[in-house]
Amino acid sequence: MGNSYAGQLKSARFEEALHNSIEASLRCSSVVPRPIFSQLYLDPEQHPFSSADVKPKVEDLDKDLVNRYTQNGSLDFSNNLTVNEMEDDEDDEEMSDSNSPPIPYSQKPAPEGSCTTDGFCQAGKDLRLVSLCMEQIDIPAGFLLVGAKSPNLPEHILVCAVDKRFLPDDHGKNALLGFSGNCIGCGERGFRYFTEFSNHINLKLTTQPKKQKHLKYYLVRSSQGVLSKGPLICWKECRSRQSSASCHSIKPSSSVSSTVTPENGTTNGYKSGFTQTDSPILSPANSAINLSGAQDLTRNKNVVKPLALSLQVVGKTFAADAANGNSSHGGKGSASSSTPAHTGNYSLSPRPSYASGDQATMFISGPPKKRHRGWYPGSPLPQPGLVVPVPTVRPLSRTEPLLSAPVPQTPLTGILQPRPIPAGETVIVPENLLSNSGVRPVILIGYGTLPYFYGNVGDIVVSPLLVNCYKIPQLENKDLEQLGLTGSQFLSVENMILLTIQYLVRLGQHQSRALAESMLTTSEFLKEISYELITGKVSFLASHFKTTSLGDDLDKLLEKMQQRRGDSVVTPFNGDLNECVSPQEAAAMIPTQNLDLDNETFQIYQPQLTVARKLLSQVCAIADSGSQSLDLGHFSKVDFIIIVPRSEVLVQQTLQRIRQSGVLVDLGLEENGTAHQRAEKYVVRLDNEIQTKFEVFMRRVKQNPYTLFVLVHDNSHVELTSVISGSLSHGEPSHGLADRVINCREVLEAFNLLVLQVSSFPYTLQTQQSRISSSNEVHWIQLDTGEDVGCEEKLYFGLNEYSKSLQWGITSPLLRCDETFEKMVNTLLERYPRLHSMVVRCYLLIQQYSEALMALTTMASLRDHSTPETLSIMDDLISSPGKNKSGRGHMLIIRVPSVQLAMLAKERLQEVRDKLGLQYRFEIILGNPATELSVATHFVARLKSWRGSEPEEWIPRTYQDLDGLPCIVILTGKDPLGETFPRSLKYCDLRLIDSSYLTRTALEQEVGLACCYVSKEVIRGPTVALDLSGKEQERAAVSENDSDELLIDLERPQSNSSAVTGTSGSIMENGVSSSSTADKSQKQSLTPSFQSPATSLGLDEGVSASSAGAGAGETLKQECDSLGPQMASSTTSKPPSSSSGPRTLPWQGQPIRGCRGPHAALPPVVILSKAAYSLLGSQKSGKLPSSSSLLPHADVAWVSSLRPLLNKDMSSEEQSLYYRQWTSARQHHADYSNQPDPTSGTRNFHPRRLLLTGPPQVGKTGSYLQFLRILFRMLIRLLEVDVYDEEEINTDHSESSEVSQSEGEPWPDIESFSKMPFDVSVHDPKYTLMSLVYTEKLAGVKQEVIKESKVEEPRKRETVSIMLTKYAAYNTFHHCEQCRQYMDFTSASQMSDSTLHAFTFSSSMLGEEVQLYFIIPKSKESHFVFSKQGKHLESMRLPLVSDKNLNAVKSPIFTPSSGRHEHGLLNLFHAMEGISHLHLLVVKEYEMPLYRKYWPNHIMLVLPGMFNNAGTGAARFLIKELSYHNLELERNRLEELGIKRQCVWPFIVMMDDSCVLWNIHSVQEPSSQPVEVAVSSKNVSLKTVLQHIEATPKIVHYAILGIQKWSSKLTSQSLKAPFSRCHVHDFILLNIDLTQNVQYDFNRYFCEDVDFNLRTNSSGLLICRFNNFSLMKKHVQVGGQRDFIIKPKIMVSESLAPILPLQYICAPDSEHTLLAAPAQFLLEKFLQHASYKLFPKAIHNFRSPVLAIDCYLNIGPEVAICYISSRPHSSNVNCEGVFFSGLLLYLCDSFVGADLLKKFKFLKGATLCVICQDRSSLRQTIVRLELEDEWQFRLRDEFQTANSSEDKPLYFLTGRHV
């Protein structure tokens, strides 16, 4: 680049300077790149001195300095005084500055083995022109052949192929930065750097390779085909302008600022100052940028040279002072004095500072050489912690690290401290500024203070935009790491300003206007427009549009047309535009009924269900969070209110959804009949009436504490301004209303109110001050169109799909920009600089539509003056109703945000329509949010006849009600507010949405109007059929047959016959002719693709494009794209881009011509302004369009201009986190007051607030209505419980109870009860799959009846849902005020308040001492006795049998629990009606911490660690042993107090952790004939049940008392006997005194209760079941007596096949896989499945059961077991004459002897199974019992459980009876 560029700084060079600097920093890792300043330069006339660059060696530097100084030590300016001395057309760059030799350039060595011959490339191919001049050279499109000069071959030219975009045009301008070239020798392509290319072609340069210097000539072919040297490549600009354009040369005046010393806070320690020039030039044309750069020339002395800089942009001069000393303004002092100006010593490093004489001050102007872009390695860098002087005003020392931005001294954060402007420094704004420049200049505040402006100050705009960009906060190292930055990469403020200026200088006038307009908020610019209209500023513009484009007076023309037509009007439908009828006929025409309406049925689709469930689970998460902010168990009802922005249509639309969804009836809020009218009280809009309505709602919230209210704030991003700012805003009605409602104290504090904010554009709710926790955001599910969506008929088509659709290659894109319109706008904007561009655009749009209407009906000559886009839309709109009898047509939305402009547009268009007689053809509706829809009566009649069954008074209230009506909706209002549009919406005209909409929310919500659900094919077709990423060859390979699939029938504008015939020009893709759009070259290349411009352009037959034509189109498209954004964004002139003919979307459904049938729901076409199109249409990759990089919302600000880019593939969750980190609420935002805590930095979130976010029109309303429904269901569900509902098993009601008490008795009579026989059969339905217990009755039962199919799978048990009552037992999820004390400890400190007590006793069964631990909370210590000294636990207090306390139960309640710390029903507060009781949880040692955490107020009994793997048998055994030991201790203690031992209460309650409800049943006497006796049931408390049973007379004589299991099928039959002597389970009162000698088997995992009951009964003890009480057991899905997951002891691989029960045992000492499970568990599980192997004779043979001595084990349901006790005097079943089919001996004790066994008879072939603890006891048992006398054993019949020896396997032996 270098010195050859003299003259004014142009943007292209500027860009290259920046580019080179960036490239240098990318290439070199070790050096810090030079500041960009040193690459920017000025006119040589201004700066007549040019220096050499930094030298690589210290000696060179010294020499250079010596050369630069004249004898007297002052700077020598004599060298390069004129520019042309320096410049030479050929080899200007070869010359360095006069006194400095060129600096060698070290080239990279060539790769090994490559050719290095001059004139040849490294591949050894000849590149010289002389050798190639006759060759045919193939080069890609867009490339040119150019000649390069090699310094070593001056006589030769080397031939290269270079992409012409990187070469300049004829004026030396517009070359893209960088390089792209190919070697034509070896054919290697894609060199992206000229350095790399110059190496490849062996230029062997001694200086930095530059394309400007070495690419010299274009190469051209002569007529003979010889390639020869052509014209020079014009790299330089035409010189003639340089002298005239030169700005301020350096002269002794105030324009020279003092020099600038290095200032900390930038990459390289440099700061710069801008000088304030004395004569600001306001015309952009001759503004200049004056820059002077300096470089450190004295490496060895740590001296840094100062730097001065002056700059003007668009007529504004930026001013800032130098940051260093005595700024002398008079004479040449500062420029030529050899004594540098500075105020004190300073040093760059820890070395001593140098005296001022060691430093030299230099001015360097002119471009320093690019070849020395970086510091050389090894050169000292400025040290952090450097101390520097600042302006003379006051010295300031700095000790921040290098990276930090300067401490703000002024409101302009991060900018150098400016010097105050001297008085009188003012700028006068000339009167003719606007008319001269055609645009209002924007003055960006950069450095320094602004001058005082006088004159026409209204004509300029001052913007802090630039300065705000550099308010970079102090960044921590971790923040920098996140940004991928290190300190050395941090740009200085002036570098950033320069980078910005690089773009600013390129801004055209349109951007300056856009900048000025975008500074206004939406409200402000709408006020501005309103002001322009009211004050008549638009009158010039209005008068301009009084005439048509052809110059006729519009009004007169329309009058003339009206007169010509007379009274008649154009036929409303089913007829051509030429057919006229009388108005009476038109009004009377009735269309055919159409039943395909898209808003008749309300359906909830799968994604909506999914999102509703996500909302629900989030609500549950809030309830479970432990923050106590939501207690779902408290509520039994759901109520709601929906708050919407001020839009009448939106209110009606929401009401419709509520009514159609039936939610009011489902929630039980309204009755079916009245719900329709009452719906209105549930929807409130944010207007002045909201206060009263909202107060009514909040009263309901306060009065109904058991109702959970949901406040839905829909479209919550709209008008989210604070109440405080609302009072300041002048009469904006909606200001601050949302804030007043949503954030008021009552809402924040109401514990029964959830706030759900719903938004498609939630960004304003996602700031650093957000009130919603990010975890409470629920995002719509990712809609991936690529995936199969199952049976869903339609797919969502949103913003991303619109952006992506541009890559489909369809001829009528869905997203368009009307280029012709934009050109017209730009012309008008220059003519009317004082008007807001929206006003100009609107007037033009009105004219466009008016003229299009006239052109299509009466004045064909106006066709060429309407843009093809407008013409095509209007043609489609007015012709579609004419095609059939239904009269259905399309809707066009024209978005006009200003209400005044919208009203104007409606009036004008209506006037034109009516004058043209089209008032019955289509309707024009003003869509004003403040008012209801107003539709002409004849159109309402048409809508009604389509709908069929509407009542007489029906009128359309929502836009969806207008489905099928041909109409233009002029949609006004500040924002679109979420209204849904019908399927007939076909065009969405957003041409007015321009530079005032440059925030993400503003822009995206406008396009959101068009988002909708579409038929699958629309998305599938294009993406599947057209892979546009493919290469040319792949595209060409699409065969002709495929074209059928690709061409989804296009009937774009079906009526375009009139557009095609009789007009000149080519047919554009929308079928409209226009000679003004496409230039000739495009037309010619387009014609081949339209072989038959058929009059009815149904492009399916008209466009079977020949491949040649398509190919031409393809290359043309590429050319367009390569010409840059101006062409590429043009959609109106884009040729078809798919290879097999243009693809288009099917608009109308086939059967009914001209209307959208039920077959296809299609996305509307969106026409954008150029600004919006460039942002939304430019999605290159990733999921998000470019608009995502804009500021998310006008009410928020970026926290820092230094932030990571928003990744284009971010999900909405990730975007939320990004915005929460990088955006902050502005002062007027409703969340501004919600600042994070200053000390801790914690954010204040409202715990009961959620945010639902999803794309526009995706179905959020349906989703939240469904959420309300399932929330209600869940609350009901929380009040319900699943309980087991199973009939008793093994019942036989045929025989009546032998001895029975009379029915009404409350308690059993001990005399008669003891005479009842014990029913040994088990009736509990949970034991369905268990071995039957043998009775004499069983012997007579037919075997088949009981036959059970073998069930491998665990059987699903029957359950039923029951409402919880006030007497239920609860788990941890229940919270209420009453039981709070019972459940919780009040503070964390109380956790330590519960104390741990050891309790030791000896157990004869275990044969050792047992140590248990009690954990006793302070509040429960009264239940225990402690020793006087040392607080040693002595016993647990027991009451007396005689105690009568109605407010207590006597029995301590023990609940063993495992794996159910959350789900166990351990909260008995309500079940006990809050009375005093003693409840002990019995838990395993390893689970104790969990239970203690969830149940801090409960007493725990912790089992010893040896029982961690034990089953329920162990827990019950230890509870009983402990209780007996405690009973003895209490008897001893109370005996000392004179109380008899037998008076101490001997009962305990043993209760499962799944007992939930208790009932009392009574039989109602039948009134007459023997009808089925009714059973009445009533829920009672556990207290009632226990107190009743405890009151049983002579209770101490009963061993066990229990109640029956509840079943819905409980009959009077089962209640006939009030008491039964039978098995009891799950909930028992156990007499530990009577049962002292009967033990639970502590080894057992299954059926321990059946085993215990049989032992108890055989001991002659009484077991009584109260039949009038029943127990409901909850189906708890976790924990409890769950099976072990049986895994191998040593895992070989992860994925093993499941282990079968028969593998649970093995032969001793075998190689069998050993298992990690307790031996007893393996044995019991094996026995359940092994009856066929062990006891084959017993299968289904209940006459011959298996004899089991002293034990009951489940050996499978096919087998019956006869239980016999070996104890003397025990009562056993009569088994005389029974032949047993097997014998089971399990761990038998000394009571079992050989004599006992000899009493029993066995079948021949009966089998025996003897189970013992180890092998030796197994052998001893066989000998002791003399088993070998009658049983035959084999060695191979010995087995063990599959345990390793340390796990103590159990052994068993099988044998056969002989």
Side-chain angles (χ1 to χ4, degrees), residues 1537-1558:
L1537 303 176
I1539 292 164
K1540 290 180 182 167
R1541 293 180 77 82
Q1542 64 268 32
C1543 292
V1544 181
W1545 183 252
F1547 284 91
I1548 64 167
V1549 174
M1550 219 184 288
M1551 178 170 108
D1552 283 7
D1553 60 1
S1554 56
C1555 302
V1556 62
L1557 287 166
W1558 291 263

Side-chain angles (χ1 to χ4, degrees), residues 872-928:
S872 136
I873 293 170
M874 284 317 292
D875 189 7
D876 200 10
L877 183 78
I878 61 178
S879 59
S880 56
K883 290 173 189 166
N884 54 51
K885 291 181 182 169
S886 78
R888 286 168 70 84
H890 308 307
M891 176 188 281
L892 155 68
I893 291 176
I894 305 175
R895 178 80 175 102
V896 186
S898 156
V899 178
Q900 290 93 334
L901 282 178
M903 288 161 85
L904 176 82
K906 179 178 187 254
E907 285 161 26
R908 295 296 292 147
L909 290 177
Q910 216 161 0
E911 184 188 359
V912 174
R913 178 197 69 173
D914 296 355
K915 296 256 171 82
L916 295 173
L918 294 165
Q919 58 268 54
Y920 289 89
R921 191 73 164 195
F922 68 96
E923 177 62 307
I924 299 177
I925 297 163
L926 182 67
N928 185 349

Side-chain angles (χ1 to χ4, degrees), residues 69-70 72-75 257-261 303-306 324-328 332-346 354-363:
Y69 281 90
T70 51
N72 63 356
S74 66
L75 272 175
S257 77
S258 70
T259 53
V260 182
T261 59
V303 177
V304 177
K305 297 297 164 287
N324 183 25
N326 341 331
S327 146
S328 71
K332 290 189 177 175
S334 63
S336 56
S337 154
S338 61
T339 317
H342 70 100
T343 50
N345 295 340
Y346 61 96
Y354 287 84
S356 56
D358 288 338
Q359 300 168 28
T361 308
M362 298 179 65
F363 262 99

Side-chain angles (χ1 to χ4, degrees), residues 545 548-549 554 558 816 818 821 824 841-859 862-863 865-878 891-896 904-906 908-913 916 918 922 924 967-971 985-992 1165-1168:
F545 284 114
T548 65
S549 305
L554 188 62
L558 286 169
R816 305 180 188 174
D818 189 345
F821 181 80
M824 294 174 174
R841 282 176 170 272
C842 187
Y843 268 89
L844 178 62
L845 201 64
I846 295 169
Q847 186 207 33
Q848 281 290 303
Y849 278 115
S850 305
E851 294 195 353
L853 272 175
M854 293 160 74
L856 290 163
T857 50
T858 49
M859 279 190 72
L862 277 171
R863 266 173 196 291
H865 296 278
S866 285
T867 73
E869 231 24 285
T870 319
L871 204 55
S872 136
I873 293 170
M874 284 317 292
D875 189 7
D876 200 10
L877 183 78
I878 61 178
M891 176 188 281
L892 155 68
I893 291 176
I894 305 175
R895 178 80 175 102
V896 186
L904 176 82
K906 179 178 187 254
R908 295 296 292 147
L909 290 177
Q910 216 161 0
E911 184 188 359
V912 174
R913 178 197 69 173
L916 295 173
L918 294 165
F922 68 96
I924 299 177
C967 60
I968 298 177
V969 174
I970 297 169
L971 191 65
L985 169 64
K986 184 169 175 183
Y987 299 103
C988 208
D989 188 338
L990 304 179
R991 283 180 277 186
L992 261 59
V1165 173
V1166 180
I1167 302 97
L1168 299 166

